Structures are given as structure tokens and as C-alpha cells.
């Protein structure tokens, strides 16, 4: 894959409601920067929030919140408005809202079969989205040019005063060859740099693993919001995991952790696209479901068809779902013994496979893991769907802005003045 994800956005997810810890020896300027970031991050994650609520949630006094909000308004990052709802007597507390329409990031994804590009506004709102098919055999670096074309296409309708703060790309290491076979290819580390070279108006591009980024999105805004220990399992052509421990993504050496699809679970199993044999994804991937259902290899639509047939009572399709669900539960049981998460989230095509075979998966997990790993465990279907990848990429791209709101704001403003 590309450059590793450095970390989750600072301070996100752990417990955004709690007051900021004091930084020993911090200068007035550092404290102000940190507090500006805390206010902006709060409204970015929670949407429009009154000054009164910010005061209590962030543990800062009223005049400090007022001054910080005014600075963020002057920087063009938020608006302050009189609340529209009727209130009790007295002056109403102004509502601080992220300027989603003005402040945005480029969020890109390179998955096995599609290339997608979105403009995501502050607050996590997808403002615009374009996609094209990824031809079999196209490398991630070869995807840079068509992705840049999608971005330039979107940029044509952006208002002149809009503020582009950065970009991120999520990329899978599992692709198809031109003849449709599955291949595991390491992604060039230069991906972020290649996008920066192509899209010079964007102040920086971060690259990360697709499952890591989708997991981050579920952790920040999805079904696992507020859960600091979780395994996000992503299924498409391959199987990969975004593992979050103590609120931080587990990256590993150069970001290559989480390749759970290549845990060998069946030494007598089928050859895998990685060159090994009997990997977990040969038992729970899309191809496995189609094979068990007696169907030809196919894409996500073919998987959906099997799941529909199973729901309609087709016995072959039902048996295929059961078999994949058995293997899914088996592998997850091993993972929860290792990671000891509070939740396992199933995303991508695994979301639908989990939903169809949930009873079987749960039965495995009710018995196989150690009691300390299973008793508190929640199994959840992902909430953000295909948007998770783009929303997670945007979170990475907003990281710098949220760490130092006014600095990035001013720099970005100058850069976006140059046409792409
Ligand atoms: Zn493998």
C-alpha cells in the first residue's frame, strides 16, 4: 500500500465530550491553537452546536468559547447564528456550525473494480461524487491520472471562495488481472506523491489502506462511534481489516497490518491470489460464496443475487451462506482472542454476508473465543455503506486543519486561488 496512515485524526473518537487535557509548558499560542482545534473538531463531528453546549462539553469558560468561535468565523471555517428554535427568556446562545459548503477535502478511493473521487465538506458531508470503472490490470499508480480527471471535473463547479484543505486516497491491495483473476499486489508507496504532482492546487495527499480508512470512518461517524477497541472487517474482492486499539489505528511496519484475509485457516484449501493456499479469504471472500452457490465468478451484483436467493429460500444459496458464515465466525473468533475488541464491524460485501448468516456467526462467537474476549463483544453491520471509504479518507485529509485551524485555513486559501 501507499504511505501508512499516520494516526487517526488527533483527539477524534476517544471521547470528544471530555475536556482537553492540559499540556504542560504549553505557550499561550499553543493553547489557543489546541482550543481552536477542539471547537472546530467538535462541530465537525457533532454538527451545529450552541456556544453554551461547547462551553460545557469542552470544559472552557464562556468568554473563551466566544473568542474562539469568533476567530473561526473570521477564518471562514464556521458560522455563528441565532438559533431558530424558541427559547426561554434571556439572550440566546449563538449556534456554531461548520461551513460544509465552503471548507472541503478531496477523498479518493481505488478499490478492486472502481475509482471514486468525492469532495467532502467539513462536517463529513459528501458534496460531490464521481466514479469510473477500474479496468482489470490497472495499477494504483496508473489510477492517478483518471482520478485526477474526476477531481478536475468536480472542481469546475466549486465556488471561487471555497477552501480546499487537503486530500487522501484509500487503496486496496487486491485487484483483478485483465482476465478476471484475483491478484494481491503491493501498492506503490509513491501514490500520495503522484497525486500531489498531478493535483498541485491540493495542499497534500495522504494515502492509506482501504479497510483502515473505512474502519476509521465507522469509528468516527458510524456504528462504532465512541468505541476505541474494534476490528473493522472489509470484504470486496479480498478481505482486509482496519484494527483500532485504544482509539488508534494499528498500522504495523509501513502500514501493512490487518491483512487478515491471508491468515491460513485451511492448509488443504484453495490457492490464494497472494501465492499461498487456504487463506481465510478463499473461504469467506465473494468468490467463495459464489463457488459454494455453484455460480460462475462474478462481482458484487452476483453476490447480492446469491444472498437474495438465500433469503427467498433457495437451498443451495442458503447452504452457501451457511458455509461462508461458519468460516467467518471461525476466523473472527481467532481475531477477537488476539485483539480483544469491544466490537467487530462487518463492512463492504461482508456486511451483507454477515447479515444473512448472523445466527451462524454468533453461534461460533458464543462458544469459541475465551470468555474474556467474547462476553462483552458486539457484532455489528457497518452503518456508512460504500461512503465509509470516502468519509474516512476525508477525516485523514481534515487532520491538519483540525490540528491547526487558522494556519491551514490561510495557507489553503492562497493555494486554492490558483486554478487546478
Ligand atoms: Zn492469501
Amino acid at each position: 500500500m501507499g504511505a501508512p496512515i499516520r494516526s487517526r485524526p488527533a483527539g477524534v473518537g476517544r471521547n470528544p465530550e471530555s475536556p482537553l487535557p492540559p499540556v504542560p509548558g504549553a505557550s499561550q499560542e499553543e493553547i489557543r491553537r489546541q482550543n481552536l482545534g477542539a471547537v472546530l473538531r467538535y462541530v465537525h463531528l457533532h454538527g451545529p452546536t450552541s456556544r453554551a453546549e461547547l462551553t460545557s462539553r469542552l470544559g472552557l469558560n464562556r468568554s473563551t468559547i466566544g473568542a474562539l468561535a469568533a476567530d473561526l468565523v473570521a477564518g471562514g471555517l464556521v458560522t455563528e447564528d441565532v438559533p431558530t428554535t424558541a427559547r426561554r427568556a434571556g439572550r440566546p446562545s449563538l449556534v456554531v456550525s461548520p461551513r460544509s459548503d465552503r471548507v472541503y477535502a478531496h477523498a479518493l478511493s481505488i478499490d478492486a473494480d472502481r475509482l471514486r473521487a468525492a469532495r467532502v465538506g467539513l462536517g463529513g458531508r459528501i458534496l460531490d461524487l464521481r466514479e469510473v470503472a477500474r479496468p482489470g490490470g490497472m495499477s494504483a499508480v496508473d489510477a492517478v491520472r483518471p482520478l485526477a480527471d474526476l477531481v478536475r471535473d468536480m472542481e469546475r463547479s466549486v465556488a471561487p471562495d471555497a477552501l480546499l484543505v487537503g486530500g487522501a486516497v484509500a487503496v486496496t491491495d487486491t485487484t483483478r488481472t485483465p482476465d478476471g483473476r484475483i491478484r494481491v499486489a503491493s501498492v506503490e508507496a509513491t501514490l500520495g506523491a503522484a497525486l500531489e504532482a498531478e493535483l498541485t492546487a491540493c495542499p497534500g495527499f495522504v494515502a492509506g489502506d482501504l479497510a483502515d480508512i473505512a474502519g476509521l470512518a465507522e469509528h468516527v461517524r458510524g456504528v462504532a462511534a465512541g468505541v476505541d477497541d474494534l476490528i473493522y472487517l472489509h470484504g470486496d474482492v479480498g478481505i482486509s481489516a482496519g484494527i483500532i486499539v485504544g482509539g488508534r489505528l494499528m498500522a504495523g511496519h509501513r502500514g501493512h497490518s490487518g491483512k487478515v484475509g491471508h491468515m491460513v485457516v485451511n492448509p488443504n484449501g484453495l490457492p490464494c491470489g497472494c501465492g499461498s493456499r487456504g487463506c481465510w479469504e478463499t473461504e469467506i471472500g465473494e468468490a467463495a460464496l459464489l463457488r459454494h452457490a455453484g455460480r460462475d465468478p462474478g462481482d458484487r451484483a452476483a453476490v447480492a443475487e446469491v444472498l437474495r436467493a438465500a433469503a427467498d429460500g433457495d437451498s443451495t444459496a442458503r447452504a452457501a451462506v451457511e458455509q461462508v458464515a461458519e468460516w467467518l465466525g471461525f476466523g473472527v473468533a481467532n481475531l477477537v482472542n488476539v485483539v480483544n475488541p469491544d466490537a467487530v464491524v462487518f463492512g463492504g460485501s461482508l456486511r451483507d454476508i454477515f447479515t444473512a448468516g448472523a445466527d451462524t456467526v454468533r453461534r461460533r462467537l458464543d462458544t469459541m473465543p475465551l470468555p474474556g474476549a467474547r462476553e462483552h463483544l458486539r457484532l455489528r453491520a457497518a452503518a456508512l455503506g460504500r461512503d465509509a471509504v470516502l468519509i474516512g479518507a476525508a477525516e485523514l485529509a481534515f487532520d491538519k486543519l483540525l490540528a491547526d485551524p487558522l494556519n491551514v485555513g490561510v495557507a489553503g486559501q492562497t493555494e486554492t486561488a490558483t486554478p487546478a
Side-chain angles (χ1 to χ4, degrees):
M1 52 161 280
I5 292 173
R6 285 151 205 159
S7 71
R8 74 196 162 95
V12 165
R14 175 173 296 282
N15 185 2
E17 267 91 300
S18 61
L20 290 165
V23 178
S27 68
Q28 282 302 109
E29 193 46 42
E30 283 163 21
I31 291 168
R32 177 172 169 268
R33 186 163 56 234
Q34 191 187 22
N35 287 342
L36 283 166
V39 172
L40 190 61
R41 183 177 295 118
Y42 194 93
V43 298
H44 169 63
L45 289 177
H46 298 269
T49 308
S50 70
R51 279 188 185 185
E53 190 176 343
L54 286 168
T55 300
S56 72
R57 295 290 188 185
L58 298 176
L60 297 167
N61 67 45
R62 271 174 55 195
S63 61
T64 303
I65 288 290
L68 294 168
D71 285 349
L72 293 172
V73 170
L77 302 173
V78 304
T79 56
E80 279 200 295
D81 305 286
V82 178
T84 46
T85 49
R87 290 183 55 90
R88 293 188 302 272
R91 246 174 76 194
S93 177
L94 293 175
V95 172
V96 182
S97 308
R99 289 196 63 182
S100 305
D101 55 334
R102 176 175 185 268
V103 185
Y104 71 100
H106 286 147
L108 315 180
S109 90
I110 302 174
D111 71 20
D113 299 312
R114 309 293 299 170
L115 306 176
R116 292 191 296 157
R119 289 200 314 113
V120 180
L122 189 63
R125 209 172 93 210
I126 295 181
L127 304 171
D128 199 351
L129 172 61
R130 310 288 161 98
E131 61 177 272
V132 291
R134 177 186 185 183
M138 176 187 267
S139 75
V141 161
D142 286 343
V144 165
R145 191 59 67 79
L147 277 172
D149 288 342
L150 295 178
V151 169
R152 280 190 279 265
D153 197 32
M154 288 191 298
E155 283 293 302
R156 276 190 256 282
S157 53
V158 173
D161 75 327
L163 179 63
L164 171 60
V165 298
V169 57
V171 57
T172 178
D173 62 356
T174 310
T175 61
R176 291 188 206 271
T177 59
D179 60 1
R181 281 179 300 121
I182 296 166
R183 190 168 65 103
V184 181
S186 68
V187 172
E188 298 80 350
T190 51
L191 190 60
L195 277 161
E196 279 175 26
E198 190 73 33
L199 295 165
T200 50
C202 185
F205 258 96
V206 187
D209 176 79
L210 190 140
D212 283 347
I213 286 179
L216 177 68
E218 292 291 344
H219 167 62
V220 174
R221 297 184 180 278
V223 73
V227 178
D228 277 350
D229 293 283
L230 76 123
I231 298 173
Y232 170 84
L233 277 178
H234 191 86
D236 45 44
V237 171
I239 303 291
S240 197
I243 299 173
I244 292 175
V245 178
R248 291 197 172 271
L249 267 169
M250 194 180 89
H253 178 68
R254 297 176 72 90
H256 292 290
S257 72
K259 304 301 176 197
V260 297
H262 303 288
M263 299 191 297
V264 177
V265 296
N266 184 358
N268 302 315
L270 294 171
C272 177
C274 72
S276 185
R277 179 176 285 278
C279 293
W280 196 27
E281 73 182 39
T282 67
E283 301 292 351
I284 65 166
E286 293 179 357
L289 182 73
L290 295 172
R291 190 175 72 242
H292 293 313
R295 315 248 176 154
D296 292 333
D299 57 10
R300 200 147 174 201
V303 170
E305 208 176 292
V306 172
L307 295 175
R308 213 163 26 240
D312 290 345
D314 179 294
S315 60
T316 309
R318 192 64 235 164
V321 169
E322 284 302 312
Q323 184 148 3
V324 169
E326 285 284 351
W327 280 108
L328 183 56
F330 178 83
V332 171
N334 285 321
L335 286 176
V336 302
N337 272 340
V338 174
V339 178
N340 193 20
D342 289 313
V344 178
V345 177
F346 299 88
S349 56
L350 271 187
R351 180 190 194 284
D352 303 329
I353 291 171
F354 164 70
T355 305
D359 289 348
T360 304
V361 177
R362 285 186 202 284
R363 203 161 46 241
R364 282 279 192 196
L365 285 158
D366 282 345
T367 53
M368 284 185 66
L370 298 170
R374 71 171 191 249
E375 281 163 357
H376 59 288
L377 185 70
R378 285 168 283 167
L379 304 180
R380 293 282 183 271
L384 299 173
R386 294 187 70 214
D387 290 347
V389 174
L390 299 171
I391 289 169
E395 290 302 326
L396 284 186
F398 282 125
D399 201 4
K400 248 161 74 182
L401 172 76
L402 298 175
D404 191 359
L406 297 183
N407 196 15
V408 172
V410 173
Q413 218 157 11
T414 316
E415 291 200 50
T416 46
T418 320

